[in-house]
Each structure stands twice: as C-alpha cells, then as structure tokens.
C-alpha cells in the first residue's frame, strides 16, 4: 500500500493519491517506471487516464473519456430544467414531477 507524508510541503492544489498518510524516513529509490502498478488495489497501467479527488480515484478508459464532454453538456441541459423549476416561487412536488418528466425528454 502506498502512503504519503509531508503534505504541508506540497504545493497548494497539487493532487496526490495514496492509501494512507504516515510519517516515514525510509530510503527510496526508483527501480522502474512506465509499467503497471496497484494503487491501493486499483490497477494502473502506463498512459492510463485517472480521475482522483478527495472521494477516491478511478481509471477512465480513453474511449469513455472522449464522451465526457457530451455527457456533461447533456447533464447540464437536464439539470437546468430542474434548477429553473426549483427557483420559481411556490415550487411544489407537482412542479418537481413535471420538471423531472421534462428533463427525461432531453436527449
């Protein structure tokens, strides 16, 4: 399992991924690169695309990554219907049901 240390010394916004945080003063040397590794059980290969944030990490297949822009735009169009309805005075459960139905029709 990979562990991190010296988090306070990292640049603000620098993203790292590991299984834990712990102190260490061990000798480390690079013995290989560009291969396949396991990062806390997630298999990562050379040239993999990884999304990681405070909630975890996932390897994104490149063919899926090419579809992210279109999927995000579709999601934004559907969410706009819901958000616009929710902002109207007197918003009700009936309004929510109608907005959900309208959002489902957006493709």
């Amino acid at each position: 399992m990979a562990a991190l240390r010296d988090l306070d010394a990292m640049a603000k916004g620098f993203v790292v991924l590991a299984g834990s945080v712990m102190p260490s003063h061990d000798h480390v040397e690079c013995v290989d690169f560009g291969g396949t590794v396991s990062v806390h059980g997630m298999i990562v290969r050379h040239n993999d695309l990884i999304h990681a944030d405070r909630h975890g990490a996932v390897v994104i297949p490149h063919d899926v990554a090419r579809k992210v822009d279109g999927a995000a735009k579709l999601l934004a169009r559907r969410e706009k219907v819901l958000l616009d309805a929710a902002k109207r005075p007197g918003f009700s459960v009936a309004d929510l049901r109608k907005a959900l139905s309208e959002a489902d029709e957006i493709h």
Side-chain angles (χ1 to χ4, degrees), residues 3-4 10 20 23 41 44-45 50 52 54 59 67 71 98 100-101 103:
L4 296 176
M10 291 183 189
S20 63
V44 180
R45 293 171 182 80
I50 302 168
R54 73 176 104 187
V59 174
K67 300 174 186 176
K98 182 175 184 274
L100 286 168
S101 178

Side-chain angles (χ1 to χ4, degrees), residues 20-96:
S20 63
V21 177
M22 64 180 57
S24 171
H25 296 284
D26 200 359
H27 172 77
V28 178
E29 66 180 271
C30 179
V31 295
D32 199 5
F33 64 94
T36 300
V37 297
S38 172
V39 180
H40 203 56
M42 181 179 69
I43 302 302
V44 180
R45 293 171 182 80
H46 180 70
N47 285 332
D48 272 355
L49 175 62
I50 302 168
H51 169 74
D53 61 20
R54 73 176 104 187
H55 305 292
V58 63
V59 174
I60 302 172
H62 289 278
D63 61 321
V64 171
R66 290 181 188 91
K67 300 174 186 176
V68 169
D69 183 58
K73 288 176 180 172
L74 173 61
L75 180 63
R77 289 194 306 273
R78 288 179 175 169
E79 284 186 342
K80 184 175 184 336
V81 173
L82 299 173
L83 294 173
D84 287 349
K87 291 176 184 175
R88 288 188 203 109
F91 178 69
S92 67
V93 172
D95 296 327
L96 176 60

